[in-house]
């Protein structure tokens, strides 16, 4: 004999999932179930003798909970709402001083955002100039950490940027160091990808600089961002459906407004120690 059980997530941390579901005998009911699916609710056919199920989060935040199968009214089931918990997983870090933004073997994004506000007239963003010290640490022979093993690099920095205001967005800018003494390699940029644009940056007089950007949203009347619960440090992600990463030979609108935000992201490395000092956004007044 068999029966149908319905499962709905009632409480979870932002990094929980995907989930595996087992019965009390260790039999697999389902594997790789997304958090979104469990929040919406899902039903499975199980043996009639199943009285207990175990739900395991198998992603970067591992946790499990066993629950007895119980009767519930349809109305109560429909009205179940997810409660977000910020203490669902304990994080320990800084065990290795030369390894940053890395938690349990997984790189987490390091994000910093700079806001700008202008007076009276709109202003056009011309380029971005950032004063950040990028350090890497050499291997330590005696096992005792000291800052003498730290070197300041010239080719390590943030690998992504997003420039936006309330109606315009640059989309995701993939940042790579400008090829030196190689004009052929340099002429390959910018590279237009499906969900980003790859551009080069330079480091001169200790300033990192880049300027190959323009507004590429399809419509200012469609949201530029989507919300996400992937990480507490990421409050929004680009709405890629509203971005056009094509060449746009004749539609390269400048980023122009009375306010501006520059978001820099490092999510492809954890051995680079970035110490951000300040950023400059040179602009000029826009007249109509």
């Amino acid at each position: 004999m068999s029966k149908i059980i319905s499962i709905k997530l009632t409480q979870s941390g932002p990094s929980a999932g995907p989930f595996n579901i087992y019965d009390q005998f260790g039999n697999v009911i389902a594997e790789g179930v997304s958090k979104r699916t469990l929040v919406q609710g899902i039903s499975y056919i199980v043996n009639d003798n199943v009285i207990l199920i175990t739900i395991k989060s198998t992603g970067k935040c591992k946790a499990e909970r066993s629950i007895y199968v119980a009767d519930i009214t349809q109305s109560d089931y429909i009205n179940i709402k997810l409660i977000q918990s910020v203490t669902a997983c304990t994080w320990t870090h800084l065990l290795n001083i030369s390894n940053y933004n890395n938690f349990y073997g997984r790189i987490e994004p390091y994000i910093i955002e700079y806001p700008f506000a202008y007076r009276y007239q709109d202003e056009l963003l011309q380029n971005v100039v950032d004063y950040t010290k990028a350090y890497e640490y050499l291997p330590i022979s005696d096992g005792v950490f000291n800052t003498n093993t730290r070197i300041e690099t010239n080719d390590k920095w943030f690998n992504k940027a997003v420039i936006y205001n309330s109606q315009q967005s640059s989309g995701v800018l993939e940042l790579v160091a400008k090829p030196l003494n190689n004009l052929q390699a340099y002429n390959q940029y910018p590279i237009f990808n499906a969900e980003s644009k790859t551009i080069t940056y330079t480091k001169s007089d200790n300033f990192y600089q880049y300027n190959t950007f323009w507004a590429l949203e399809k419509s200012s009347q469609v949201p530029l961002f989507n919300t996400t619960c992937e990480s507490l440090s990421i409050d929004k992600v680009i709405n890629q459906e509203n971005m056009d990463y094509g060449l746009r030979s004749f539609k390269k609108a400048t980023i122009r407004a009375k306010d501006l935000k520059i978001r820099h992201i490092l999510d492809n490395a954890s051995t680079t120690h970035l110490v951000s000092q300040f950023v400059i956004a040179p602009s000029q007044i826009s007249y109509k």
Side-chain angles (χ1 to χ4, degrees), residues 13-17 35-36 60-61 84 91 106-109 111 160 226-238 267:
S15 300
K35 179 179 176 180
R36 181 187 295 272
K60 58 185 177 180
C61 185
Q84 287 284 2
W91 297 90
R106 181 186 177 97
I107 296 174
E108 295 293 336
I111 302 172
K160 291 179 183 176
N226 293 324
T227 57
T228 176
C229 60
E230 177 186 355
S231 168
L232 293 178
S233 64
I234 308 175
D235 63 330
K236 52 193 173 185
V237 295
I238 290 289
D267 63 4

Side-chain angles (χ1 to χ4, degrees), residues 117-124 256-259 284-288:
Y118 306 118
R119 293 185 177 183
Y120 310 119
Q121 287 92 359
D122 285 2
E123 297 201 14
L124 307 174
R256 170 184 180 275
K258 291 182 174 62
D259 65 288
Q284 66 180 30
I285 295 176
S286 174
Y287 296 98
K288 274 194 172 182

Side-chain angles (χ1 to χ4, degrees), residues 189-260:
Y189 298 95
I191 299 174
F192 301 96
N193 310 307
E195 293 190 345
S196 66
K197 182 175 65 175
T198 305
I199 65 173
T200 62
Y201 67 82
T202 60
K203 183 181 181 182
S204 178
D205 293 333
N206 290 308
F207 287 108
Y208 292 91
Q209 304 180 56
Y210 62 92
N211 60 7
T212 313
F213 50 78
W214 53 83
L216 46 71
E217 72 286 342
K218 295 176 183 177
S219 172
S220 62
Q221 303 306 300
V222 175
L224 301 176
F225 292 93
N226 293 324
T227 57
T228 176
C229 60
E230 177 186 355
S231 168
L232 293 178
S233 64
I234 308 175
D235 63 330
K236 52 193 173 185
V237 295
I238 290 289
N239 179 10
Q240 297 288 12
E241 293 184 357
N242 192 31
M243 299 295 131
D244 177 9
Y245 291 102
L247 182 58
R248 289 189 140 195
S249 299
F250 303 103
K251 295 182 179 180
K252 295 178 181 177
T254 55
I255 295 181
R256 170 184 180 275
K258 291 182 174 62
D259 65 288
L260 172 73

Side-chain angles (χ1 to χ4, degrees), residues 7 25 32 35 71-72 94-95 125-126 136 149 158-159 172 195 214 240 249 265 285:
I7 304 173
F25 307 108
K35 179 179 176 180
D71 294 329
I72 186 174
L94 293 181
L95 300 178
L125 179 65
Q126 297 177 309
E136 288 205 332
T149 63
F158 295 96
N159 67 299
V172 177
E195 293 190 345
W214 53 83
Q240 297 288 12
S249 299
I265 304 167
I285 295 176

Side-chain angles (χ1 to χ4, degrees), residues 34-266:
S34 68
K35 179 179 176 180
R36 181 187 295 272
T37 299
L38 284 183
V39 170
Q40 295 173 345
I42 189 170
S43 298
Y44 297 101
I45 298 176
V46 300
N47 292 331
D48 198 47
N49 60 350
V50 172
I51 61 172
L52 181 106
I53 62 168
T54 298
I55 302 176
K56 290 185 178 181
S57 175
T58 61
K60 58 185 177 180
C61 185
K62 301 187 184 304
E64 67 176 79
R65 184 173 181 181
S66 297
I67 307 157
Y68 282 97
V69 176
D71 294 329
I72 186 174
T73 66
Q74 183 177 8
S75 175
D76 289 340
Y77 179 79
I78 293 174
N79 291 327
I80 291 175
K81 303 298 181 183
L82 176 70
I83 299 174
Q84 287 284 2
S85 171
V86 297
T87 59
C89 190
T90 302
W91 297 90
T92 58
H93 53 93
L94 293 181
L95 300 178
N96 183 348
I97 194 65
S98 63
N99 201 13
Y100 297 85
N101 61 296
N102 189 302
F103 301 90
Y104 297 99
R106 181 186 177 97
I107 296 174
E108 295 293 336
Y110 168 60
I111 302 172
I112 187 167
E113 184 169 288
Y114 300 93
F116 294 86
Y118 306 118
R119 293 185 177 183
Y120 310 119
Q121 287 92 359
D122 285 2
E123 297 201 14
L124 307 174
L125 179 65
Q126 297 177 309
N127 64 307
V128 176
V129 180
D130 179 62
Y131 180 34
T132 291
K133 293 182 178 293
Y135 297 109
E136 288 205 332
Y137 293 84
L138 300 176
I140 302 172
S141 58
D142 58 4
V144 179
F145 172 79
N146 66 80
T147 56
N148 293 328
T149 63
R150 185 177 69 181
I151 59 172
E152 186 173 351
T153 69
N154 294 319
D155 58 352
K156 300 294 176 63
W157 192 47
F158 295 96
N159 67 299
K160 291 179 183 176
V162 179
I163 303 171
Y164 68 98
N165 54 45
S166 57
Q167 289 190 308
Q168 295 178 303
S169 174
S170 68
V172 177
L173 301 173
E174 303 270 0
L175 304 174
V176 298
K178 177 183 176 181
L180 299 178
N181 305 317
N182 191 335
L183 184 60
Q184 182 178 5
Y186 174 67
N187 286 335
Q188 294 177 357
Y189 298 95
I191 299 174
F192 301 96
N193 310 307
E195 293 190 345
S196 66
K197 182 175 65 175
T198 305
I199 65 173
T200 62
Y201 67 82
T202 60
K203 183 181 181 182
S204 178
D205 293 333
N206 290 308
F207 287 108
Y208 292 91
Q209 304 180 56
Y210 62 92
N211 60 7
T212 313
F213 50 78
W214 53 83
L216 46 71
E217 72 286 342
K218 295 176 183 177
S219 172
S220 62
Q221 303 306 300
V222 175
L224 301 176
F225 292 93
N226 293 324
T227 57
T228 176
C229 60
E230 177 186 355
S231 168
L232 293 178
S233 64
I234 308 175
D235 63 330
K236 52 193 173 185
V237 295
I238 290 289
N239 179 10
Q240 297 288 12
E241 293 184 357
N242 192 31
M243 299 295 131
D244 177 9
Y245 291 102
L247 182 58
R248 289 189 140 195
S249 299
F250 303 103
K251 295 182 179 180
K252 295 178 181 177
T254 55
I255 295 181
R256 170 184 180 275
K258 291 182 174 62
D259 65 288
L260 172 73
K261 294 184 179 67
I262 299 174
R263 174 174 290 205
H264 287 159
I265 304 167
L266 175 66

